[in-house]
Amino acid sequence: MPNQSPTHQHTRGSRVFDVLNVAVLLFLALITILPLMYVLAGSFASESEIASRPFFLWPEKFVTTTYEYIFDSGTFVRALLTTICVTAVGTVVQVLLTFTMAYPLAKRYLPGRTLVLNLVIFTLVFTGGMIPTYLVVRDLGMLDSYWALILPLAINPFYLIIVKSFFQELPQALEEAARIDGCNEMGVFFKIVLPLSKPIIATFSLFYAVGIWNDYMSPLLYIDDSKKWTLQVLVRQLTSPDAQNAMAMMESVFFPTQGLKFAVVVIATLPILLFYPFLQKHFSKGVLLGSVKE
């Protein structure tokens, strides 16, 4: 009999394991997707159907009353545009600051590098806390400013260490060749290093964007003007029972109490879900390049 390689030998135990593995993964995927499908279906259902049917994945009749109410509201549209702008600007600022700090820390000959790295690692374990951070933001004059949502969290120390490790793995010969051709450190960074860092830039851009988009505590602490609320704060206000009852009493037209909860969750979640497919090919590669040395 011809010898079979170990990779082609399928025992009964391995087949049972494969079946169980697929079954468990399908179950986990199902319990993850079903709530999302229910929320999406509920956002297009009528108030009477939501009240009469405890769970459904397809509404009996599609209605867009809730979405019409939302987008007719200037408050919600303003909060959505505010969140989009803060996320876009904040992602650029945070990625730029993280990468510009990680690049010099990747150079072992940099004076004081070890001290700075130890301070960065220290912040992974100990933080200033909510009240000291608030006092710093207040003393810097950033209360009721969108910069309060960006700068206090501008550099994530964990991301910084991963990016630094990635920069250390880049071929030094490329940087030396660029310096011979007349590039200074800024030229090497922007013309050589960053073009080679597209996978990890895409990965951490996504991480930072998701963090800013989903941030609820920062605008709650630092933004007092309701006209500057981000989407997450407004969603919390709209989905709280007290706020909905008060708005329902003040509205002279129909107020979609239950459907509003589903619709605002869909709108708040959809933009991030749309970005994942475009960055998925860079996602795993970017994390592995910065954390595992080949």
Side-chain angles (χ1 to χ4, degrees):
M1 291 180 62
N3 293 329
Q4 292 183 346
S5 62
T7 57
H8 292 86
Q9 294 178 359
H10 297 285
T11 64
R12 181 178 180 182
S14 66
R15 289 194 293 269
V16 171
F17 173 78
D18 291 339
V19 172
L20 292 177
N21 193 26
V22 171
V24 171
L25 292 177
L26 288 176
F27 174 74
L28 293 176
L30 188 64
I31 63 177
T32 302
I33 294 174
L34 283 180
L36 297 176
M37 295 179 62
Y38 171 61
V39 170
L40 181 61
S43 67
F44 287 101
S46 62
E47 289 293 301
S48 58
E49 183 177 359
I50 296 174
S52 61
R53 300 175 65 187
F55 182 81
F56 56 92
L57 299 178
W58 192 267
E60 295 178 351
K61 181 181 179 182
F62 278 85
V63 295
T64 59
T65 307
T66 304
Y67 289 99
E68 292 173 2
Y69 176 87
I70 288 175
F71 288 105
D72 285 342
S73 171
T75 302
F76 190 90
V77 174
R78 181 173 59 247
L80 179 61
L81 294 177
T82 297
T83 306
I84 293 174
C85 294
V86 170
T87 301
V89 175
T91 301
V92 173
V93 171
Q94 293 180 353
V95 169
L96 184 62
L97 292 178
T98 300
F99 276 66
T100 52
M101 183 175 180
Y103 177 68
L105 291 178
K107 308 303 178 184
R108 291 184 171 88
Y109 57 81
L110 181 71
R113 169 181 177 270
T114 303
L115 174 61
V116 175
L117 281 177
N118 289 334
L119 292 176
V120 170
I121 296 172
F122 181 83
T123 62
L124 288 172
V125 183
F126 302 99
T127 61
M130 182 186 298
I131 295 177
T133 304
Y134 179 86
L135 296 177
V136 171
V137 172
R138 184 198 64 184
D139 292 342
L140 291 176
M142 291 193 299
L143 290 182
D144 261 344
S145 170
Y146 295 131
W147 290 111
L149 312 181
I150 299 173
L151 295 182
L153 303 174
I155 299 179
N156 185 300
F158 180 69
Y159 298 167
L160 176 69
I161 293 174
I162 295 178
V163 175
K164 178 195 73 70
S165 300
F166 170 78
F167 285 156
Q168 288 178 337
E169 298 174 13
L170 293 178
Q172 295 298 316
L174 292 176
E175 298 183 22
E176 294 172 359
R179 293 189 183 94
I180 293 174
D181 289 339
C183 278
N184 54 19
E185 288 297 334
M186 295 298 292
V188 172
F189 177 71
F190 285 103
K191 295 180 181 179
I192 304 298
V193 175
L194 287 187
L196 295 174
S197 309
K198 290 181 181 179
I200 202 167
I201 290 175
T203 299
F204 289 103
S205 295
L206 180 62
F207 285 168
Y208 276 124
V210 171
I212 298 173
W213 184 274
N214 292 332
D215 189 12
Y216 169 71
M217 287 303 299
S218 295
L220 183 66
L221 290 173
Y222 307 135
I223 304 297
D224 294 328
D225 188 356
S226 60
K227 294 182 179 180
K228 295 182 179 180
W229 278 352
T230 59
L231 185 61
Q232 302 304 329
V233 176
L234 184 62
V235 167
R236 175 64 183 88
Q237 297 297 325
L238 292 178
T239 55
S240 63
D242 294 338
Q244 286 204 340
N245 293 334
M247 293 177 68
M249 293 177 61
M250 290 187 297
E251 292 286 345
S252 58
V253 296
F254 172 71
F255 181 75
T257 306
Q258 298 300 323
L260 182 66
K261 297 180 181 180
F262 296 121
V264 294
V265 171
V266 170
I267 296 175
T269 308
L270 189 60
I272 297 299
L273 292 179
L274 293 178
F275 273 104
Y276 266 97
F278 297 101
L279 299 176
Q280 184 179 5
K281 62 180 180 179
H282 301 296
F283 188 77
S284 299
K285 182 179 179 182
V287 174
L288 291 177
L289 284 175
S291 57
V292 178
K293 187 170 183 177
E294 298 178 355

